[in-house]
Amino acid sequence: MEEKTFKKYQLWLEQIRAINSDDYNILSSFSEEEINDAFYKDLEFGTGGLRGIMGLGSNRMNEYVVKKASFGIANYLKKHYDFPSISIGYDSRNNSSLFAKYASEVYASLGIKVYIYPTLEPTPLLSYAVRKLHTSGGCIITASHNPSKYNGYKVYNHDGCQIGIKVADEMIEEISHVDIFKEFKNIKSFDELVNNNMISFIDLKIVDEFVKDTLKISLLKDFSKKEIKICYTPLNGTGLIPVLKTLKEAGFNNVFVPVEQRDPDGNFPTCPYPNPEIYEAMKLGISYCNKENADLLIATDPDCDRCGIGIRYNGEFKLLTGNEVGILLFDFICNHSSLPLNPIAVRSIVSTGAVDKIASMHNIEMKKVLTGFKFIGDVICKLEENNEENRYIFGFEESYGYLTNPKVRDKDAVNASLIIAEMFYYYHERNINLIDKLHSIYETIGYYKNSLLTYEFDGENGLKTMNKMMDDLRNCSFEYLENIFNSNINEKLDYLLLKSTSKNGNTNNIESEKSNVLTFIFEDESKITIRPSGTEPKIKFYIETVGNSVKDSESINEKYKEFIIKFVKLY
């Protein structure tokens, strides 16, 4: 253990002794390994805010880290706004409502007007509230789709978008100057601040307004009764009320919910990884679909910003990937909606390029942005500044994030549940299965196969390993890369240096914010993108291959997977 780590631990012990005896006793019992893991660094604050395992320590989500971040953000808001205010929300996770209360106390004690939801609500409703209430910013306590031991703190700007790199850097600077243990005496109680009108509860009529605005983006514009049977699961999260209300008002009356996953529960007892990308999280919903003979399965993650689906195909339920749903939705919007003049769609750089071909066929501009829905939200904000908001028609990320409603500036699983249900209903009424429809699209544009390999590297050594892996890939020659992947590479894109380099040595600038991401484009049209996660101790390899048939594209994809597995074993 490094000396600075142990000194930080001793400082916490000394300071917490006078504040909270229970926390002091827990800290006193830490083993050397626990001390190192909890204190070797501060929990990193970035454009995604904070996210980490709950517990005591500077590298954990706890009362002290939440209050320190809130102090720094409050100081940032006071410097940039004459009358600063903030909207606050929280999800169903353990300690979410408590952390939201701590944050509210800090903001209000420092003179920032707080509007907090009285009940747990989805992340998109926080983005919506920031815009509706015209607050200077927003925050929501959530760890999205992570396991139950995690929690987090997302931060939004006045546009309802998650903060960008420049704002995050300024907030980090403010947070770094906060000595939270000295600031404890300046924090007033939640009840006192409510009585002083520094904290107000958000009127839940805003949920009804949110649903109305969601319904305005209906693809079918038909709210008559629809007979298809839908199984919807909120995965013990926040989506139950707004999703069911939206579907019902759109005419989907035949919707049922698995009782085990209906109510909010931060322990996620039936889905340890409450992520609709993962089969285990969808397993219970699939069993209900089979028992109840449902036509469609819809699942939203705990903060209701991701949406996954399953459909019956050849007698069994199949789950669709985020890319597959993105292709289907975008194709449906292009062919069955009234498109505005000069329409714009947006995808992340790790999402399928199949939508680029669809966009080209319909004369739609497809913008490609860094991973993180804030970058899609930024595109909408820039359009709004030029009174061109109506040009935006669709944004998506392969990680099950979709948005057609420009009133929200984050991925929105309430919106996604509606447009997916409408698209499914449209094809169902014409006896067209979504998987068959997907194959018909592939017949036109080529057979795309996208896959993701994720490797977890925990702790301080894990972070060093991931950094070394990225540095090695960034600095190695084309010849070395071609030996790794056994394929000719046409181009390397480095989003940290903002440079693209072709095999013959020509370079061009990349117009983007900086991010530690590398993309390799191969001679056979395949593409591999590598990025460390911004919210988890993981490095991700996104593989996209294109073939003349399903078998062809899958075969090429498997080839690249094998090369990546061999490469990672070197570390």
Side-chain angles (χ1 to χ4, degrees), residues 408-437:
V408 175
R409 300 295 161 86
D410 206 346
K411 53 184 175 284
D412 181 354
V414 182
N415 174 207
S417 296
L418 171 65
I419 59 176
I420 287 168
E422 290 190 317
M423 176 182 68
F424 179 89
Y425 172 77
Y426 178 90
Y427 288 126
H428 182 270
E429 291 299 290
R430 289 156 180 79
N431 294 315
I432 300 172
N433 187 281
L434 283 185
I435 292 179
D436 289 330
K437 177 61 185 177

Side-chain angles (χ1 to χ4, degrees), residues 127 130-131 138 155-164 373-381 408-410:
S127 172
V130 169
R131 296 177 55 75
V155 185
Y156 292 76
N157 62 25
H158 66 273
D159 288 320
C161 293
Q162 285 189 60
I163 55 171
F373 224 85
K374 57 185 162 286
F375 297 108
I376 296 175
D378 284 343
V379 172
I380 307 173
C381 289
V408 175
R409 300 295 161 86
D410 206 346

Side-chain angles (χ1 to χ4, degrees), residues 515-531:
S515 185
N516 191 16
V517 181
L518 291 167
T519 295
F520 303 116
I521 301 173
F522 296 86
E523 199 171 61
D524 62 3
E525 288 191 76
S526 298
K527 180 177 69 174
I528 295 176
T529 300
I530 306 112
R531 59 177 282 268

Side-chain angles (χ1 to χ4, degrees), residues 108-235:
S109 294
L110 292 178
I112 293 172
K113 175 65 179 179
V114 171
Y115 298 90
I116 184 170
Y117 275 110
T119 57
L120 51 83
E121 298 293 348
T123 287
L125 260 161
L126 188 278
S127 172
Y128 185 81
V130 169
R131 296 177 55 75
K132 202 77 174 175
L133 299 174
H134 304 289
T135 55
S136 313
C139 76
I140 185 165
I141 307 299
T142 177
S144 191
H145 58 286
N146 287 86
S148 60
K149 64 182 179 179
Y150 284 83
N151 214 325
Y153 188 121
K154 286 184 182 178
V155 185
Y156 292 76
N157 62 25
H158 66 273
D159 288 320
C161 293
Q162 285 189 60
I163 55 171
I165 294 170
K166 182 182 177 183
V167 172
D169 287 344
E170 288 189 51
M171 288 181 176
I172 289 167
E173 179 66 19
E174 294 291 346
I175 293 167
S176 70
H177 295 307
V178 175
D179 184 340
I180 187 58
F181 299 113
K182 289 183 179 178
E183 300 289 358
F184 259 76
K185 62 181 181 294
N186 298 319
I187 303 174
K188 298 175 183 177
S189 74
F190 187 88
D191 290 340
E192 181 184 353
L193 291 161
V194 170
N195 291 334
N196 292 341
N197 202 35
M198 285 305 298
I199 297 176
S200 297
F201 292 104
I202 297 173
D203 190 332
L204 289 181
K205 287 180 180 177
I206 202 169
V207 179
D208 295 329
E209 294 171 7
F210 169 80
V211 170
K212 286 179 182 177
D213 277 335
T214 301
L215 290 167
K216 289 177 184 175
I217 311 301
S218 163
L219 299 177
L220 298 181
K221 310 298 182 188
D222 171 17
F223 301 149
S224 62
K225 188 174 180 180
K226 301 169 181 66
E227 294 300 329
I228 63 168
K229 193 171 190 179
I230 299 174
C231 173
Y232 166 65
T233 171
L235 299 181

Side-chain angles (χ1 to χ4, degrees), residues 8 53 64 87 136 161 384 462 471 482 485 507 518 569-570:
K8 191 188 296 183
I53 294 169
Y64 312 100
S87 302
S136 313
C161 293
E384 185 180 42
D471 288 342
E482 290 177 343
F485 297 114
T507 61
L518 291 167
K569 282 181 179 178
L570 298 175

Side-chain angles (χ1 to χ4, degrees), residues 82-115:
D82 293 333
F83 303 100
S85 58
I86 191 165
S87 302
I88 296 179
Y90 56 91
D91 71 2
S92 64
R93 288 179 177 274
N94 297 329
N95 294 320
S96 281
S97 61
L98 187 62
F99 290 162
K101 182 179 177 182
Y102 291 149
S104 298
E105 289 173 341
V106 170
Y107 286 118
S109 294
L110 292 178
I112 293 172
K113 175 65 179 179
V114 171
Y115 298 90

Side-chain angles (χ1 to χ4, degrees), residues 230-516:
I230 299 174
C231 173
Y232 166 65
T233 171
L235 299 181
N236 300 117
T238 59
L240 182 71
I241 293 173
V243 170
L244 290 185
K245 185 176 179 63
T246 302
L247 290 177
K248 183 176 180 180
E249 294 196 14
F252 297 98
N253 297 306
N254 197 0
V255 182
F256 68 92
V257 181
V259 64
E260 299 93 331
Q261 295 177 345
R262 181 183 183 91
D263 297 325
D265 187 338
N267 295 315
F268 310 114
T270 62
C271 49
Y273 292 86
N275 183 353
E277 292 180 84
I278 299 172
Y279 174 79
E280 283 72 21
M282 305 288 275
K283 192 173 180 181
L284 182 69
I286 291 172
S287 69
Y288 266 85
C289 286
N290 288 326
K291 282 190 294 186
E292 302 291 337
N293 198 31
D295 300 301
L296 173 65
L297 169 64
I298 297 176
T300 57
D301 68 339
D303 69 328
C304 197
D305 63 355
R306 296 182 178 214
C307 184
I309 72 168
I311 60 170
R312 195 179 303 282
Y313 188 69
N314 291 338
E316 60 178 315
F317 252 80
K318 299 276 191 182
L319 301 180
L320 275 68
T321 69
N323 278 315
E324 289 170 341
V325 174
I327 292 168
L328 285 163
L329 281 173
F330 186 53
D331 176 80
F332 187 84
I333 290 167
C334 291
N335 288 295
H336 302 285
S337 296
S338 298
L339 297 177
L341 192 65
N342 301 319
I344 286 178
V346 197
R347 70 166 175 90
S348 68
I349 58 173
V350 299
S351 300
T352 179
V355 293
D356 299 357
K357 289 189 178 179
I358 297 171
S360 179
M361 291 163 56
H362 294 272
N363 295 315
I364 295 170
E365 181 181 354
M366 177 62 70
K367 289 187 175 290
K368 294 177 275 292
V369 296
L370 293 175
T371 305
F373 224 85
K374 57 185 162 286
F375 297 108
I376 296 175
D378 284 343
V379 172
I380 307 173
C381 289
K382 288 183 175 68
L383 289 171
E384 185 180 42
E385 288 171 6
N386 295 319
N387 294 317
E388 295 180 328
E389 184 182 349
N390 69 317
R391 291 179 61 195
Y392 172 83
I393 59 170
F394 185 58
F396 99 98
E397 288 185 327
E398 50 75 40
S399 55
Y400 292 63
Y402 317 98
L403 182 68
T404 59
N405 182 7
K407 300 292 183 185
V408 175
R409 300 295 161 86
D410 206 346
K411 53 184 175 284
D412 181 354
V414 182
N415 174 207
S417 296
L418 171 65
I419 59 176
I420 287 168
E422 290 190 317
M423 176 182 68
F424 179 89
Y425 172 77
Y426 178 90
Y427 288 126
H428 182 270
E429 291 299 290
R430 289 156 180 79
N431 294 315
I432 300 172
N433 187 281
L434 283 185
I435 292 179
D436 289 330
K437 177 61 185 177
L438 183 64
H439 288 165
S440 73
I441 296 171
Y442 286 152
E443 286 174 8
T444 302
I445 65 172
Y447 288 82
Y448 280 75
K449 175 67 178 177
N450 292 80
S451 59
L452 171 64
L453 293 179
T454 301
Y455 296 91
E456 190 163 344
F457 293 91
D458 288 317
E460 183 177 14
N461 289 333
L463 182 63
K464 290 178 179 176
T465 299
M466 289 190 290
N467 286 337
K468 179 171 174 33
M469 199 180 296
M470 291 299 291
D471 288 342
D472 289 349
L473 286 168
R474 175 168 286 113
N475 297 321
C476 67
S477 66
F478 270 74
E479 182 181 11
Y480 177 77
L481 290 168
E482 290 177 343
N483 284 334
I484 291 173
F485 297 114
N486 196 29
S487 294
N488 294 325
I489 297 176
N490 284 344
E491 188 177 13
K492 176 174 77 171
L493 285 75
D494 189 331
Y495 289 89
L496 188 62
L497 302 178
L498 297 181
K499 293 284 185 183
S500 69
T501 306
S502 63
K503 191 172 182 177
N504 61 15
N506 291 334
T507 61
N508 288 297
N509 294 329
I510 298 173
E511 291 187 16
S512 172
E513 292 194 55
K514 289 185 177 182
S515 185
N516 191 16

